[in-house]
Amino acid sequence: METAKGMAVHDDVSRQLLSGGQIAARVAELGAQITADYRACAAQGERIVMVGILRGAAIFMADLARAIELPVEMDFMCVSSYGDRASSSGTVSIQKDLDRSIEGCHVIVVEDVVDTGLTLARLRDELGSRGPKTVEIAALMRKQHAGQVPLDCRYVGFEGPDEFIVGYGLDFAERYRNLPYIGVLKPEIYL
């Protein structure tokens, strides 16, 4: 894989945090946990809807959905507080909303990274106002971020450092999502 300058995208990563194998193993564990937690709901015919936050959570959500051994529906939202910046602007906007009602459903919001928690806190409140039975959060990674908004994430893949990470769906300015691992982006790339 090469950048527009002809350099391999891997050259932009200072170090690898998690291998593809480590990610796959943890996603399988999360899928098993969700299966156990929602088995009774599914047995009663209750709808379980995974809401993926585009675009970063798309790869994680696809793998997580395949690891859940229950009927689940999938929908997507596009929510942004970053744009092309390296840090959150503090303003959250819904750019694409759900296609169907979640009233009476068990909703699992699937996010790539909990950074400040601002985006997910707002989104959880918004979705909660739409009448679901439950709203839980499944995050691939939760950063150790100073000043993080208190946010209960029921399913967390990994605790991570407060660094700029890319790969496995995580990006900087829409690049690096296709890396098969999670790594730390060199500061000279985004500063």
Side-chain angles (χ1 to χ4, degrees):
M1 288 181 269
E2 294 188 3
T3 65
K5 297 178 184 177
M7 294 180 57
V9 293
H10 301 286
D11 292 340
D12 293 347
V13 176
S14 65
R15 72 181 190 284
Q16 181 175 310
L17 287 178
L18 298 164
S19 70
Q22 289 172 302
I23 296 166
R26 184 63 181 131
V27 170
E29 291 171 358
L30 290 173
Q33 184 180 358
I34 291 169
T35 299
D37 290 350
Y38 288 90
R39 188 176 309 281
C41 300
Q44 295 174 17
E46 296 175 354
R47 292 174 53 209
I48 303 163
V49 180
M50 298 175 71
V51 175
I53 307 306
L54 294 172
R55 298 182 183 112
I59 293 172
F60 173 46
M61 182 157 150
D63 288 348
L64 183 60
R66 287 190 295 262
I68 298 171
E69 296 181 10
L70 301 171
V72 294
E73 299 174 27
M74 297 170 68
D75 206 341
F76 294 91
M77 294 182 81
C78 187
V79 181
S80 178
S81 64
Y82 283 82
D84 287 343
R85 299 167 42 139
S87 61
S88 177
S89 66
T91 303
V92 179
S93 65
I94 296 176
Q95 298 169 336
K96 182 220 174 289
D97 209 337
L98 298 174
D99 292 329
R100 294 175 294 214
S101 170
I102 57 169
E103 187 172 354
C105 298
H106 296 279
V107 175
I108 303 170
V109 178
V110 182
E111 178 65 298
D112 54 1
V113 175
V114 177
D115 195 354
T116 63
L118 175 66
T119 303
L120 276 178
R122 163 124 190 271
L123 186 59
R124 181 199 54 212
D125 293 346
E126 170 62 29
L127 294 175
S129 73
R130 298 180 185 189
K133 284 191 175 189
T134 60
V135 178
E136 298 293 349
I137 296 170
L140 175 62
M141 183 172 285
R142 179 172 47 201
K143 287 186 178 182
Q144 301 162 359
H145 190 283
Q148 195 172 59
V149 172
L151 184 68
D152 180 30
C153 294
R154 186 167 183 178
Y155 307 102
V156 177
F158 302 95
E159 298 291 338
D162 189 12
E163 298 181 82
F164 204 102
I165 55 175
V166 294
Y168 193 70
L170 304 152
D171 77 305
F172 171 65
E174 297 303 324
R175 296 178 305 194
Y176 311 103
R177 292 188 194 279
N178 57 325
L179 295 176
Y181 57 84
I182 294 176
V184 177
L185 192 63
K186 292 179 180 175
E188 60 265 26
I189 304 300
Y190 59 88
L191 291 177

